[in-house]
Amino acid sequence: MKAKINFYFVCLTVMSFVIFSSCSKYDDGDTTKPVINLIEPAEGEILKIGDDSGVHFDLELSDNVMLKSYKVDIHPNFDGHAHSTMLKSSLETVDFIFNKSWDIYGNKNADIHHHEIKIVANSTPGNYHLILYCTDAAGNESHLARNIVLSTEIAENHEH
Amino acid sequence: MHIGYIPVMLMFVFILPPSQAQESDSLKAITLKEVVVQSSYKKISNLNSSQPVDVADKTFLSEHFTGKLTQALEHIPGFNSMEIGSGFSKPMIRGMGFNRISVTENGIKQEGQQWGADHGLEIDAFGVERVSIRKGPASLLYGSDAIGGAVEITQAPPPLENQFFGEVALLGKSVNETLGGSLMLGLKKNTWYTKLRFSEQYFGDYHIPADTVVYLTQHLPIEGERLKNTAGFERDLSWYSDYRNRRYYTNFAVSNAYQKVGFFAGAHGIPDASQLTDDGDSHNIELPYSTVNHLKITSRQQYAWDKIIGYCDMGFQNNHREEWSRFHTHYGTQLPPENDADKELEFSLKTFSFSAKIKTYGNGHWEHTVGYDLQYQQNSIAGYSFLLPEYGRFTSGFLWLSVYHLHPKVSVSGGIRYDYGRLNISAYRDAYLENYLREQGYDNGLIASYKWRSYPVNRNFGDISGSFGIVWKLDNLHLIKFNAGRSFRLPCANELASNGVHHGTFRHEQGDTSLSSEHGWQFDAFYTYEREKLYFAFTPFGSWFGNYVYLKPTGEWSALPHAGQIYRYTEAEAVFAGAEVECGFDFLHSFSFHFAGEYVYNHNLSEHISFPFSPPASMRNTLTWKHKRIHIWEELQSIAPQKRISKNEEATPGATLWNMGVAMNILLCKTELEITLSMQNMLNTKYYNHLSFYRKMEIPEAGHNAQILIKIPFKNKLK
């Protein structure tokens, strides 16, 4: 009988160890993603090809601890979703591809405003995707996808 | 004190009593099964192993049948099913899944593309008669991959009398308009036993209680509340035979499982609402979809001498998986292939397995088992995209297990195993990517590191697993077991050498060729109290890993198009702990109550966060009324919120679900019809499964489901 009680005791000890170790608040690692607020370009916005002043880019980023970097990826979306070369555009124009990242390490908030994205004059007009990625210092990542249109015809009037 | 040391210290405490290894119960099952009734198979299994073993028998499997094996097993505490829509689901035990779980059928380990989050288990659920779940490390028995546990699918014992027998099973489900059926024909004649089974299942797009899902901040419409293109079908054929003559026993099994399942279009690549308009057909399978064909041939030879029994298992498997998606590329120079232009990925994994064991019995206090396992795999690839390289993998292991019966009520056991593994991964150079990066103006250094989508790897691994345990049957009511051991796992090819954007996870996943074999120390305890109308079980566990491999976000931007940061397989110090509790009692003549609860805690000590895919705590309260041939149950399933998440994972709210069912046996023309009617998620609650592949797309789990399963067994005694 005594042995039995001893074993119950052992069981209880194990159980309490497991439960106590389980309940300890040890998850102090950062799992909160940065927050993206992309103001311009807006969803469905038409951007002018060959505009030397560049795309008006207006972005607000914030994180609970520290931001690290953001990246802009623009690529064609001519046939809906699939990026097929079968529907490759005419030879005179080139599909516009933009891929660049910016370092914003050390800040909790960032208000970004620039005209660094320049759509070269020989770019193929059509539907494009713009994907914005943002990471914080811990490696938490947010992203956002926008549909944009590249066009030679419609001029943009932005107030800067 | 650092939290990581607690479980380790606990382990040392329990190594002190001499101890006991997990031990295969296959021999005892063979020698005992003719005298043991089905319900106590679990008890026997638990007496034979110092680790907790749960058994799902035929009744359990019919009651919880859904057409997918892992979904039925989810009713066992400590077992979870990782869902990929309604088409696939994969097993998880105590928070470990993927390549950390071994699934065996007829003694041979099932080898598919377990590493992939959107790859399921290719086994015919209709044909499964009995499953034992070994919670906790089983690498001593099965080698490398069983570090988290094992699911053993075995055959129910053949009927005693000579007979022709069979079964027709029909399944209907409302949630995805499933129609399934299975036909089995068998024959038992003296020393021969054979059975043939054919099953098919067709299912449509499944219902979710939501009309929009949010993915990448875009609202996607879910027309008619049905998830477009999640339809699929499954066709399985299997043949099993055995022959037993005095001391000789042999079996032979061939099975082929084929599945074709669509992927929700919004979940592949950038979401686009135009992909999701209702095409008026909820049963068609459009691109993107996947097909899998799993062929398996296994055989056992066994001979019993006076005090020694020897057996060997052999198996060959071919897992052929294809993923189809309309040809797309980001590289201007890549043209669609002439044949099968839309075949994105193809994996063909061939596995040859061999295992031999010699076991002593009836020799007084001692029982010994010596065994040797060997496995060779060859993976070949095709398709216009690249994810996993071609590789060859050879593993072999030698094991020794001993049991010492100290006393009729106490047995201690221990075992040791050495495994050797060799992995040979082929290099893969992507000329299109190289060209693309050059066009984008990247420097030569970066191009040189990216153009190799996989580096050649030729590595050898060797590692020891060991285990010690004790089984103490206090009296007829109490059973206590302890087990402690070391287990290990070889890194898989994807962890070492994958490099590319996984279209399913939508991430640039990168292997690390320098990873070492994962090893951990584990401890578990088991206590049951069982009397006529009362049952209680408690099974706590804890483990510590020095180098648990997981996919870590690196913060480095990938140069690949459509990729954010690089996720790299990285080692971390890890702790896992938790427990399962189960209890049940009978009251008022025909009522019974059953409670099952589970909890898993894991912690990444290197990063102070949790690991991805941590199962939330959950419990099931089931009330059953049983009278003669009828059996009604109502279940309250409670899932706790999961707030302990990894980076880039979403916290998942909890949920409460009502399920119920009726099972009845109806006598019709001397045949006993088994009809099971069940309803899941009766209130059509919108909830998320933290372990679902579709979780991060905010796609809720299936809505209300009504299901019917009819089984018509028949037999004709032979003279």
Side-chain angles (χ1 to χ4, degrees):
Chain A
M1 194 62 204
K2 208 165 188 182
K4 209 175 189 175
I5 291 161
N6 278 344
F7 255 103
Y8 289 150
F9 179 69
V10 170
C11 272
L12 277 173
T13 318
V14 171
M15 183 176 156
S16 46
F17 259 118
V18 169
I19 289 164
F20 282 123
S21 63
S22 314
C23 296
S24 60
K25 291 266 178 222
Y26 221 77
D27 281 11
D28 50 6
D30 177 19
T31 54
T32 309
K33 294 178 180 184
V35 178
I36 300 174
N37 180 17
L38 179 61
I39 302 152
E40 295 275 340
E43 174 67 25
E45 191 164 322
I46 301 167
L47 305 175
K48 187 164 166 36
I49 291 171
D51 184 356
D52 289 338
S53 59
V55 176
H56 175 63
F57 190 82
D58 193 355
L59 170 71
E60 287 173 8
L61 299 171
S62 60
D63 186 61
N64 63 328
V65 182
M66 195 189 282
L67 290 163
K68 186 179 181 195
S69 179
Y70 75 95
K71 175 176 149 177
V72 175
D73 175 343
I74 301 174
H75 56 259
N77 178 33
F78 299 148
D79 58 338
H81 158 238
H83 304 282
S84 167
T85 45
M86 289 185 286
L87 298 167
K88 210 164 158 46
S89 43
S90 65
L91 289 169
E92 299 90 65
T93 61
V94 174
D95 295 355
F96 179 68
I97 290 175
F98 184 87
N99 210 331
K100 192 179 173 188
S101 63
W102 287 266
D103 193 2
I104 43 168
Y105 194 83
N107 300 311
K108 260 181 126 166
N109 296 290
D111 284 335
I112 295 144
H113 190 115
H114 62 64
H115 293 85
E116 290 181 43
I117 305 169
K118 298 210 162 59
I119 305 165
V120 284
N122 66 341
S123 298
T124 313
N127 293 328
Y128 281 77
H129 271 146
L130 181 151
I131 311 178
L132 183 85
Y133 299 91
C134 176
T135 51
D136 71 5
N140 295 300
E141 179 180 315
S142 295
H143 35 206
L144 179 149
R146 284 265 156 99
N147 293 294
I148 52 169
V149 181
L150 265 57
S151 171
T152 46
E153 281 152 27
I154 299 149
E156 294 275 310
N157 282 319
H158 275 304
E159 287 170 26
H160 298 215
Chain B
M1 192 174 71
H2 202 256
I3 189 169
Y5 302 120
I6 297 171
V8 181
M9 286 182 64
L10 279 173
M11 272 164 218
F12 286 117
V13 171
F14 290 106
I15 283 172
L16 295 176
S19 29
Q20 172 137 8
Q22 324 98 315
E23 174 199 338
S24 168
D25 52 23
S26 57
L27 169 67
K28 286 195 177 159
I30 287 160
T31 50
L32 286 172
K33 64 190 171 189
E34 270 151 25
V35 289
V36 170
V37 287
Q38 194 83 330
S39 64
S40 65
Y41 180 78
K42 178 175 173 178
K43 216 170 173 178
I44 301 284
S45 301
N46 268 314
L47 277 174
N48 283 339
S49 167
S50 61
Q51 280 193 305
V53 179
D54 257 303
V55 175
D57 58 19
K58 221 170 168 178
T59 320
F60 179 96
L61 292 168
S62 303
E63 233 172 60
H64 302 113
F65 193 84
T66 66
K68 297 273 169 279
L69 177 64
T70 42
Q71 289 174 352
L73 299 178
E74 209 179 16
H75 290 260
I76 291 174
F79 187 97
N80 296 97
S81 168
M82 300 182 82
E83 302 292 322
I84 309 109
S86 62
F88 298 119
S89 56
K90 60 198 304 151
M92 187 181 234
I93 298 174
R94 289 177 168 175
M96 291 197 193
F98 304 99
N99 277 64
R100 293 187 176 92
I101 299 293
S102 282
V103 178
T104 67
E105 192 177 18
N106 302 325
I108 294 288
K109 199 175 138 216
Q110 174 96 1
E111 288 287 356
Q113 305 284 352
Q114 299 98 305
W115 57 274
D118 53 351
H119 307 173
L121 183 63
E122 297 93 12
I123 282 179
D124 178 11
F126 282 106
V128 176
E129 294 172 340
R130 187 160 64 191
V131 186
S132 303
I133 312 275
R134 211 172 272 276
K135 298 178 200 164
S139 51
L140 185 62
L141 290 177
Y142 295 109
S144 165
D145 285 4
I147 197 164
V151 177
E152 297 164 358
I153 301 167
T154 47
Q155 303 291 332
L160 290 175
E161 294 167 310
N162 284 346
Q163 58 186 263
F164 167 73
F165 61 96
E167 182 189 80
V168 175
L170 296 165
L171 171 73
K173 270 166 87 170
S174 68
V175 73
N176 56 1
E177 290 161 11
T178 299
L179 204 60
S182 183
L183 171 71
M184 186 265 281
L185 296 172
L187 184 72
K188 157 84 198 218
K189 181 117 202 257
N190 306 327
T191 51
W192 290 94
Y193 172 58
T194 186
K195 59 187 172 182
L196 184 73
R197 183 180 282 275
F198 178 74
S199 312
E200 278 196 9
Q201 272 188 63
Y202 289 85
F203 50 93
D205 301 341
Y206 75 99
H207 283 274
I208 56 170
D211 53 13
T212 49
V213 295
V214 182
Y215 180 47
L216 285 173
T217 66
Q218 301 228 341
H219 286 261
L220 303 176
I222 302 298
E223 293 188 12
E225 302 200 340
R226 304 188 71 162
L227 210 53
K228 192 186 164 189
N229 202 38
T230 53
F233 85 93
E234 191 174 330
R235 179 176 295 144
D236 308 302
L237 181 68
S238 62
W239 177 50
Y240 174 85
S241 290
D242 72 27
Y243 171 82
R244 185 191 303 265
N245 195 355
R246 295 168 149 270
R247 291 161 177 268
Y248 175 68
Y249 168 82
T250 183
N251 71 30
F252 180 75
V254 190
S255 64
N256 193 74
Y258 177 81
Q259 293 171 354
K260 179 176 176 180
V261 183
F263 285 121
F264 174 57
H268 278 238
I270 308 273
D272 188 335
S274 70
Q275 303 275 309
L276 302 175
T277 47
D278 190 1
D279 55 11
D281 185 350
S282 58
H283 281 261
N284 58 339
I285 307 168
E286 303 278 323
L287 295 171
Y289 65 83
S290 73
T291 64
V292 198
N293 192 80
H294 194 101
L295 170 74
K296 184 160 64 176
I297 304 167
T298 63
S299 179
R300 168 173 287 199
Q301 303 294 324
Q302 178 177 305
Y303 193 83
W305 289 269
D306 277 341
K307 289 192 168 175
I308 293 177
I309 185 161
Y311 54 93
C312 83
D313 291 310
M314 269 185 287
F316 171 77
Q317 295 170 73
N318 187 6
N319 185 284
H320 185 98
R321 183 184 169 88
E322 292 178 5
E323 294 187 12
W324 291 70
S325 177
R326 191 174 303 120
F327 177 77
H328 59 282
T329 181
H330 305 285
Y331 318 132
T333 52
Q334 186 175 8
L335 293 171
E338 280 183 19
N339 301 316
D340 298 335
D342 294 331
K343 184 159 76 186
E344 186 173 11
L345 294 168
E346 178 185 324
F347 306 114
S348 180
L349 179 67
K350 294 184 174 66
T351 307
F352 171 77
S353 326
F354 173 83
S355 145
K357 302 231 158 65
I358 292 173
K359 192 165 179 170
T360 67
Y361 64 99
N363 260 345
H365 291 303
W366 284 97
E367 276 173 36
H368 304 284
T369 306
V370 183
Y372 176 73
D373 289 323
L374 181 145
Q375 194 193 56
Y376 180 73
Q377 291 186 308
Q378 186 67 49
N379 188 55
S380 54
I381 58 167
Y384 65 81
S385 190
F386 173 84
L387 184 61
L388 183 76
E390 301 205 326
Y391 65 87
R393 183 181 190 257
F394 171 86
T395 51
S396 93
F398 180 81
L399 73 133
W400 180 290
L401 310 172
S402 287
V403 184
Y404 181 66
H405 297 282
L406 201 69
H407 184 268
K409 287 179 174 172
V410 184
S411 66
V412 291
S413 69
I416 193 153
R417 175 181 177 119
Y418 181 79
D419 278 88
Y420 167 78
R422 189 162 64 205
L423 200 59
N424 204 331
I425 299 172
S426 312
Y428 184 91
R429 183 177 169 172
D430 190 337
Y432 303 119
L433 175 63
E434 192 178 348
N435 198 49
Y436 166 85
L437 294 172
R438 194 156 283 134
E439 275 176 8
Q440 294 299 303
Y442 285 102
D443 63 64
N444 283 334
L446 184 132
I447 295 170
S449 72
Y450 268 83
K451 70 182 179 189
W452 293 105
R453 296 295 292 275
S454 110
Y455 289 100
V457 178
N458 196 345
R459 293 193 55 193
N460 297 304
F461 298 89
D463 221 322
I464 288 177
S465 356
S467 170
F468 309 92
I470 181 162
V471 178
W472 185 11
K473 192 169 180 277
L474 264 75
D475 47 45
N476 283 329
L477 304 175
H478 306 269
L479 177 65
I480 292 175
K481 308 200 285 188
F482 292 105
N483 187 71
R486 181 189 197 272
S487 59
F488 87 102
R489 183 180 69 91
L490 303 178
C492 329
N494 66 313
E495 290 166 335
L496 290 168
S498 65
N499 188 17
V501 177
H502 190 300
H503 69 171
T505 57
F506 209 44
R507 288 171 171 176
H508 181 179
E509 299 180 356
Q510 200 173 63
D512 179 353
T513 53
S514 66
L515 293 176
S516 48
S517 67
E518 183 176 279
H519 56 85
W521 290 90
Q522 283 124 327
F523 146 81
D524 52 72
F526 174 98
Y527 168 75
T528 54
Y529 177 82
E530 196 173 357
R531 58 191 295 170
E532 209 183 323
K533 291 181 172 177
L534 184 63
Y535 173 77
F536 174 80
F538 177 62
T539 49
F541 66 94
S543 54
W544 175 85
F545 294 88
N547 58 339
Y548 189 83
V549 176
Y550 76 110
L551 205 50
K552 180 188 173 175
T554 58
E556 304 160 25
W557 293 118
S558 164
L560 297 178
H562 272 207
Q565 59 180 319
I566 296 172
Y567 285 73
R568 191 172 295 131
Y569 285 100
T570 310
E571 297 176 352
E573 191 185 347
V575 168
F576 280 73
E580 295 96 36
V581 179
E582 220 177 329
C583 69
F585 54 87
D586 297 347
F587 62 101
L588 296 176
H589 298 301
S590 43
F591 283 95
S592 66
F593 173 78
H594 182 254
F595 169 87
E598 61 182 39
Y599 178 72
V600 177
Y601 166 89
N602 68 43
H603 191 73
N604 179 338
L605 292 162
S606 308
E607 295 229 22
H608 300 297
I609 53 170
S610 298
F611 287 102
F613 295 118
S614 303
S618 71
M619 58 181 184
R620 290 172 192 265
N621 287 283
T622 317
L623 186 65
T624 308
W625 179 78
K626 208 175 207 167
H627 185 71
K628 288 179 183 165
R629 294 171 178 276
I630 216 164
H631 170 185
I632 301 174
W633 68 92
E634 179 154 282
E635 181 185 77
L636 176 67
Q637 184 188 351
S638 317
I639 306 164
Q642 183 55 284
K643 291 177 185 152
R644 308 192 60 261
I645 52 169
S646 187
K647 282 169 195 164
N648 303 321
E649 210 181 28
E650 300 293 332
T652 303
T656 303
L657 307 173
W658 286 94
N659 309 319
M660 72 167 288
V662 182
M664 51 202 152
N665 289 4
I666 300 170
L667 261 182
L668 198 79
C669 309
K670 288 183 188 171
T671 300
E672 204 165 359
L673 248 71
E674 292 169 34
I675 300 177
T676 313
L677 291 161
S678 55
M679 279 192 269
Q680 287 89 30
N681 192 4
M682 283 166 66
L683 304 178
N684 206 27
T685 306
K686 180 180 174 181
Y687 74 107
Y688 299 96
N689 179 352
H690 190 68
L691 307 177
S692 170
F693 176 68
Y694 283 158
R695 166 68 188 104
K696 65 174 181 292
M697 271 147 268
E698 306 264 320
I699 298 175
E701 290 303 292
H704 170 262
N705 179 40
Q707 180 183 308
I708 181 164
L709 174 70
I710 304 172
K711 282 187 173 179
I712 313 162
F714 50 86
K715 64 181 175 188
N716 194 358
K717 279 182 191 153
L718 297 175
K719 300 266 158 72

